[in-house]
């Protein structure tokens, strides 16, 4: 079933130990949509400037992503520059030019109204909530957020969390949001704020999904999936968004929303994240095959499963 | 089959958010031996002072650990004091009094000569090498080390690594030893120094075992086991040594040394580490049952395995 993704489209300038690129297509909605497109129909809502060409849009269209919801505004597209030095887990931002993204107010085209799944990328919590309220018919809503909103728009975020079924954040964000340094305790506190499931991303150590009691079936335990130990990470940009795309895309492709589906989704998230970092930008995500994805899923299984 | 463990016995004074204890029995050999004792026959070589009483020794004897190899020296037992503040993953050392441990030179009793497995706890690499050479009939040797020796006794450590089949260290130690910040590349470099298998411990994120090509069977992938997400960690002291005890103890209990055995051993390591931190000191490790251990093994499986 189709998934609507709201987020950013950006041009990124990135330096890593493997090289340097300038003004390549990026942004959370781009990575998310490309990753999810291998599992289900994806519809994107975002804003771009006059520098966003048909060629850029074709990157999404070639993967079957619906782009009616990309608003073309006067001015330049969101630009981000950053570098990964010693530590590939953390970017040092060189510049952020919000440009047209600064005034972004998501508009949902009529063609998207029947979407059954929704992913709220990392934008202002009030905008996330507005989109969610407009899409009242969705079956499941996933959402992302970040430290900037946890601190700067706390009350708005608390309102949004009541409308989100699955929240995807990293360790630091979960601890900050909960005001709690112990991770499983932080997870319980975040679940009490609204979501039925919480995915905490651990960077190179994978991710854990925690469930609220009784949500998506029974069970007493969280579930942990690894990340792939990768010898050459070319460019970590977009790994988290690609993870979210694989995770939500797989869920949207399933009839039943059981815990087992969420567990497999966590693996597919790791799979798509691992592909994303193998090349600069979205290059690797543009030309995968479902066979390559399934083969890597098996690698993740071998990495974690006893006989 | 029996395993000989060389390491420290200590009295620890520990403060954590859950409380404070003074001069309780600890040390790497103590945690290792207690954890391994649930799987196989354990023999310990260590040094203690005059303050080490029959009551202390009985903690080990009650678990069937052979204590002929505990040398009673003049003076006081090794003492360590530390606290875990916000971050339970890292201790802040208040004091270290080496006492009798400073002049420790391991002596292997004749009764231990037929041991088939050997674990070299975190002592000077030259002492580790001497013990290993003396125990020429062992089937498999595991070893631990730390930053202090990686920097301060580098050449001696390189010699020792040629005599160790399985090295157990943490992320930071692996990266320092390899001079490489990417973890899987660091692992390959460490394996090239001698060990056939390398276990890298990730603290609350679990552990990964990397194999040298062709060692212990065929396969192309490392294997990762999680740590248990624990809501109340009372005292993290000894978690790594308990992990090593569960890991090596399980291996020593098996007929065949296959990769599958190493994978299960990684889970048993996590299981024993998770028990250790539930109480201060060795309390929880003194009175476990094999049923409790198997039940927790199942929890680890549920935490990681798809249906």
């Amino acid at each position: 079933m189709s998934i609507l993704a709201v987020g950013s489209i950006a041009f990124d300038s990135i330096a890593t130990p493997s090289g340097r690129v300038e003004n390549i297509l990026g942004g959370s909605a781009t990575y998310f949509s490309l990753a999810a497109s291998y599992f289900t129909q994806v519809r994107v809502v975002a804003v771009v400037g006059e520098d966003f060409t048909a060629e850029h849009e074709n990157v999404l269209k070639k993967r079957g992503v619906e782009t009616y919801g990309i608003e073309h505004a006067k001015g330049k597209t969101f630009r981000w520059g950053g570098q990964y030095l010693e530590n590939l887990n953390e970017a040092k931002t060189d510049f952020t030019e919000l440009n047209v993204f600064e005034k972004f107010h998501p508009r949902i085209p009529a063609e998207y109204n029947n979407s059954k799944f929704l992913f709220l990328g990392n934008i202002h919590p009030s905008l996330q909530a507005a989109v969610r309220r407009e899409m009242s018919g969705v079956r499941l809503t996933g959402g992302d957020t970040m430290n900037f909103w946890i601190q700067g728009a706390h009350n708005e975020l608390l309102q949004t969390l009541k409308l989100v079924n699955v929240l995807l954040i990293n360790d630091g964000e979960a601890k900050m949001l909960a005001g709690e340094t112990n991770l499983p305790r932080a997870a319980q506190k975040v679940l009490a704020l609204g979501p039925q499931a919480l995915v905490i991303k651990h960077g190179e150590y994978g991710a854990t999904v925690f469930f609220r009691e009784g949500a998506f079936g029974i069970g007493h335990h969280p579930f942990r999936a690894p990340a792939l130990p990768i010898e050459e990470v070319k460019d970590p940009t977009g790994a988290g968004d690609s993870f979210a795309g694989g995770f939500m895309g797989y869920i949207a492709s399933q009839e039943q929303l059981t815990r087992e589906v969420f567990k497999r989704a966590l693996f597919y998230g790791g799979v798509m994240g691992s592909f994303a970092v193998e090349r600069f930008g979205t290059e690797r995500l543009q030309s995968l095959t479902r066979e390559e994805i399934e083969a890597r899923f098996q690698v993740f299984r071998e990495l974690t499963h006893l006989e």
Side-chain angles (χ1 to χ4, degrees), chain A residues 16-17 71 82 92 122 138 147 163 183 192 198 255 259 287 303:
Chain A
T16 83
E71 178 193 342
K92 182 182 159 295
N122 179 20
V138 297
N147 292 350
L163 307 170
L183 198 68
L198 170 66
E255 288 294 319
R259 290 196 176 192
S287 59
L303 194 63

Side-chain angles (χ1 to χ4, degrees), chain A residues 244-263:
Chain A
F247 178 84
M248 290 294 300
Y250 177 74
I251 288 175
S253 76
Q254 297 298 298
E255 288 294 319
Q256 305 289 328
L257 299 185
T258 63
R259 290 196 176 192
E260 189 61 22
V261 165
F262 278 78
K263 293 173 183 179

Side-chain angles (χ1 to χ4, degrees), chain A residues 3-9 25-46 52 56-57 59-70 112 119-121 238-250 272 282 285-286 288 293:
Chain A
I3 184 163
L4 191 166
V6 184
S8 61
I9 292 180
L25 182 64
S28 66
T30 310
Y31 283 101
F32 180 94
S33 299
L34 290 173
S37 73
Y38 292 92
F39 301 93
T40 195
Q41 179 64 36
V42 186
R43 295 151 164 190
V44 63
V45 168
F52 185 85
H56 295 122
E57 195 159 331
V59 169
L60 295 168
K61 283 186 172 169
K62 272 193 200 150
R63 287 293 321 141
V65 175
E66 292 178 45
T67 57
Y68 311 109
I70 298 182
Y112 289 4
F119 183 71
L120 303 167
D241 300 314
S242 306
F243 177 96
F247 178 84
M248 290 294 300
Y250 177 74
M272 300 313 288
T282 60
L285 293 185
Q286 291 180 35
L288 286 167
I293 291 169

